[in-house]
Every structure is written in structure tokens, then in C-alpha cells.
């Protein structure tokens, strides 16, 4: 399986879940490489913004930013090798993230199955953009699905980023939470319409301000928290941005 590379190894690290319904939970993160979307504000662009690709990113405006060389940002490992690293941490909560982890569904099933054979209590979360419906093998092992459907503010065309039947299927598993990255009131209108189209219940919706810095988060957070209260949906901060900024592997 292709994982994000960090230094000489894979981007597998012990930290606190920074977003969503389990924000603050200690967990081991396993970051997979590759994504089927290319959001302009993505904070893990090292998983897809490779040399030779045509994708645009907001960071293009930053002097010195360059697309990534695949050999610098991807590392290949087997599910068993990943399981061995994960076992080295004392935590039993594992967050499978990316990129888009479901591009590696078969290998993730192998990884979760290998860990589950230990006889220990494991809890697996996956973070997905909600464009791919996982199969029964994956759904049987995963404990929580953190779905983050992308809105127009991602810069992606609707036909690529929104798959209402997949979202409805994920909602029907009873394991999914739907977390939306919000910039302004236009996003709220889009979210409400999508909830209706895909049958996403409000008690499973989480709204989170967009931002890779504390200043950017703060410019939206207070306004968004009030909208969450009025709409009766959850608010999520981005804890890792407040604690560690834009740093990788923490
Ligand atoms: S779906 Fe997620 S990982 Fe993929 S480009 Fe968008 S924000 Fe980044």
C-alpha cells in the first residue's frame, strides 16, 4: 500500500484526533497517499499534488511552494509492516487518513484484520471524502466513518466531489459522521441542500471552520458556532491547528 512518506519512514504517528466527533481522543494516525480529489485548500497536498500534475492549490501563491516529487512523499509498505509499526504505540485507537484512504480499501481490510487478530481491543476510524462506498469486509471492521463531503469551496466540480447515493449508503451504516469544512454562509446553504438530497440526519452533522492557521480559524469560528447552535448541529474546531499549526506528523 502507498503511504505518505515522512523522513525515512511512513507518516504513522501518535497524537490527538484534531477534528470531528472524537476530537481530543489519543490515537495512532496512519496517513495513506493518493487522493481522487484535489481540493484547492487541502492541508495534505503532499498526498496528491505531484510533479507533472495539472492541479491548482492555494499554496501556489506562496513563494517557494512547489509540487511534490513522488519519491519524496510516497513510501510502499505491506499491511503487515504497517501493523507492526502501529503495534509499537500503546494506543488501540487507529485513524486511517489520507489522501483518500478508501483508494486502498483491500489493504486496509488486511491491516485491520491483522491487528484485530492480536486479541486486543482495537477501534478503527477512517476519514473519507465520501465518494467511494466501502464493501462489507471493510464495514465489518471499521468502528467509525468520518465523512467529509467537499463543497464548492474546494474548487472541485460537483460531479466529482458529490455522490449522494454513496453519502446515503454511508449514512445508512449508522457508523458515519458528516463533517463539513465551512467558509461562509453559501456553504451552509449547500450543506442544507445536500443533507436533504442524501438523507443525512442533522444529529450526525458537524460543521468546522476552514483554516490552516489559528487566525484563519478564528475569523470563522465564532460566527460558525452560532450557526451550529441555530441549526442544531455540532461544531468542531481544528485542535491540531491550534496546538501544532501546519506541522506534519504530530
Ligand atoms: S479530499 Fe481530502 S485529502 Fe483529498 S484533496 Fe480534498 S481535502 Fe485533500
Amino acid at each position: 500500500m502507498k503511504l505518505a512518506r515522512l523522513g525515512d519512514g511512513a507518516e504513522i504517528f501518535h497524537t490527538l484526533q484534531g477534528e470531528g466527533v472524537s476530537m481530543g481522543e489519543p490515537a495512532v494516525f496512519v496517513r495513506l497517499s493518493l487522493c481522487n480529489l484535489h481540493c484547492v485548500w487541502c492541508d495534505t497536498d503532499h498526498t496528491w499534488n505531484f510533479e507533472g500534475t495539472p492541479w491548482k492549490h492555494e499554496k501556489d501563491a506562496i513563494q517557494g511552494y512547489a509540487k511534490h516529487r513522488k519519491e519524496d512523499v510516497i513510501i510502499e509498505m505491506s499491511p503487515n509492516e504497517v501493523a507492526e509499526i502501529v503495534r509499537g504505540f500503546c494506543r488501540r485507537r487507529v485513524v486511517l487518513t489520507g489522501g483518500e484512504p478508501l483508494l486502498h480499501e483491500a489493504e486496509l481490510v488486511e491491516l485491520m484484520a491483522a491487528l484485530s487478530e492480536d486479541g486486543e481491543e482495537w477501534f478503527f476510524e477512517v476519514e473519507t471524502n465520501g465518494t467511494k462506498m466501502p464493501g462489507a469486509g471493510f464495514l465489518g471492521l471499521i468502528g467509525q466513518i468520518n465523512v467529509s463531503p467537499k463543497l464548492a469551496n474546494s474548487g472541485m466540480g460537483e460531479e466529482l466531489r458529490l455522490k449522494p447515493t454513496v453519502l446515503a449508503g454511508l449514512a445508512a451504516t449508522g457508523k458515519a459522521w458528516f463533517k463539513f469544512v465551512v467558509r461562509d454562509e453559501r456553504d451552509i446553504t449547500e450543506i442544507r441542500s445536500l443533507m436533504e438530497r442524501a438523507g443525512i440526519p442533522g444529529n450526525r452533522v458537524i460543521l468546522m471552520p476552514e483554516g490552516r492557521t489559528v487566525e484563519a480559524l478564528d475569523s470563522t469560528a465564532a460566527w460558525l458556532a452560532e450557526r451550529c447552535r441555530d441549526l442544531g448541529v455540532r461544531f468542531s474546531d481544528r485542535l491540531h491547528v491550534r496546538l501544532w499549526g501546519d506541522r506534519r506528523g504530530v
Side-chain angles (χ1 to χ4, degrees):
M1 60 208 286
K2 287 184 166 59
L3 294 117
R5 175 187 282 278
L6 187 60
D8 291 335
E11 196 172 333
I12 301 174
F13 54 101
H14 185 202
T15 187
L16 302 180
Q17 170 58 285
E19 303 175 354
V21 72
S22 42
M23 186 173 73
E25 289 269 7
V28 180
F29 274 62
V30 177
R31 189 175 306 284
L32 283 303
S33 190
L34 312 184
C35 190
N36 58 337
L37 300 183
H38 315 100
C39 306
V40 290
W41 40 253
C42 176
D43 60 2
T44 55
D45 54 288
H46 58 291
T47 62
W48 56 266
N49 200 12
F50 305 131
E51 279 183 344
T53 62
W55 319 120
K56 304 268 184 245
H57 195 283
E58 285 181 348
K59 289 183 190 169
D60 294 338
I62 299 173
Q63 200 174 10
Y65 177 75
K67 285 178 178 283
H68 303 276
R69 293 193 326 154
K70 280 188 179 174
E71 53 270 43
D72 292 341
V73 289
I74 296 178
I75 185 167
E76 289 259 9
M77 298 179 86
S78 71
N80 277 331
E81 286 173 318
V82 175
E84 208 43 52
I85 297 173
V86 171
R87 284 190 193 99
F89 297 96
C90 57
R91 280 291 145 200
R92 298 283 169 259
R93 178 180 286 262
V94 180
V95 180
L96 308 169
T97 190
E100 175 45 64
L102 288 177
L103 297 178
H104 312 265
E105 182 180 344
E107 292 95 338
L108 291 178
V109 169
E110 277 186 58
L111 169 63
M112 290 188 285
L115 289 169
S116 300
E117 279 170 9
D118 292 356
E120 305 267 3
E121 280 291 308
W122 290 90
F123 187 83
F124 301 108
E125 295 181 31
V126 67
E127 304 196 316
T128 176
N129 58 31
T131 57
K132 299 207 160 294
M133 187 66 205
F138 187 91
L139 291 173
L141 290 162
I142 202 76
Q144 183 177 308
I145 308 172
N146 304 322
V147 190
S148 185
K150 299 304 176 243
L151 304 177
N153 67 28
S154 66
M156 299 297 308
E158 185 172 325
E159 67 294 349
L160 287 176
R161 64 183 162 81
L162 286 186
K163 307 285 180 193
T165 52
V166 173
L167 298 177
L170 291 167
T173 66
K175 296 183 176 183
W177 292 86
F178 295 83
K179 182 185 69 187
F180 294 91
V181 176
V182 176
R183 278 189 164 170
D184 57 36
E185 190 63 38
R186 281 170 298 186
D187 297 338
I188 303 277
T189 307
E190 203 180 338
I191 292 163
R192 295 176 78 173
S193 145
L194 185 60
M195 286 168 66
E196 222 174 275
R197 274 167 73 195
I200 301 171
N203 63 0
R204 286 280 169 163
V205 169
I206 303 168
L207 306 188
M208 184 179 80
E210 192 272 326
R212 295 190 300 273
T213 63
V214 172
E215 295 71 29
L217 289 179
D218 283 346
S219 68
T220 310
W223 162 82
L224 183 59
E226 286 186 15
R227 292 298 279 125
C228 286
R229 179 197 60 200
D230 297 345
L231 292 166
V233 301
R234 286 184 187 230
F235 171 87
S236 171
D237 204 354
R238 303 192 77 196
L239 184 62
H240 51 111
V241 171
R242 294 199 182 277
L243 295 176
W244 298 297
D246 211 5
R247 274 167 53 203
R248 288 176 56 194
V250 288

